[in-house]
Amino acid sequence: LACSLDFEKGGAIAGNLNSLYNYMIRRILNADVNRDIEAIDEVIGMLEELRSAWQSIYMQKDIQTRSSAENFNQNKAAMTSGHISV
C-alpha cells in the first residue's frame, strides 16, 4: 500500500496514509517479535476500516460515472431525435 502512494497528487492525504501504513508495519513487526495477537487484530481492524472507506469511495464514483453516462445518453438521444438543436 505504501509503495502505491503518490505524494505529488495525494498531498496531505498521501502523507497521512503513509504514516498510518508505517504505524501498521511497526505494529506487525512488534507483534511478531512479542507474539502479540492483539496488535495483529488491531492492524486487521484498521485495514478493514480502510477497505470499507475505499469501497465507499469506489461506489460513489461508480454511481457518479453511471449518472454521467446516463445524462450523456439522454442528451445524445434528445439531440438525434431533434428535441434539442445544436
Side-chain angles (χ1 to χ4, degrees), residues 5 8 24 26 31 34 36 38-39 42 45 47 50-51 57 63 68 79:
L5 293 173
E8 217 171 275
M24 287 190 272
R26 286 193 311 274
N34 297 313
D36 182 1
E38 289 177 10
E42 176 190 2
L47 288 169
L50 276 174
R51 180 177 182 252
I57 291 167
I63 289 168
S68 294
M79 288 176 72

Side-chain angles (χ1 to χ4, degrees), residues 35-78:
R35 304 289 185 226
D36 182 1
I37 194 71
E38 289 177 10
I40 297 294
D41 288 339
E42 176 190 2
V43 172
I44 289 171
M46 295 169 80
L47 288 169
E48 287 173 342
E49 284 184 44
L50 276 174
R51 180 177 182 252
S52 176
W54 286 119
Q55 283 178 326
S56 207
I57 291 167
Y58 174 78
M59 295 298 280
Q60 288 174 355
K61 186 68 173 168
D62 188 46
I63 289 168
Q64 289 173 350
T65 301
R66 279 189 273 137
S67 177
S68 294
E70 288 171 8
N71 288 339
F72 174 79
N73 289 334
Q74 288 172 354
N75 289 339
K76 183 179 172 185

Side-chain angles (χ1 to χ4, degrees), residues 7-44:
F7 293 96
E8 217 171 275
K9 292 180 183 174
I13 293 172
N16 290 340
L17 286 171
N18 188 55
S19 295
L20 182 63
Y21 298 157
N22 285 330
Y23 172 79
M24 287 190 272
I25 290 168
R26 286 193 311 274
R27 290 294 284 161
I28 291 169
L29 292 173
N30 192 327
D32 184 39
V33 169
N34 297 313
R35 304 289 185 226
D36 182 1
I37 194 71
E38 289 177 10
I40 297 294
D41 288 339
E42 176 190 2
V43 172
I44 289 171

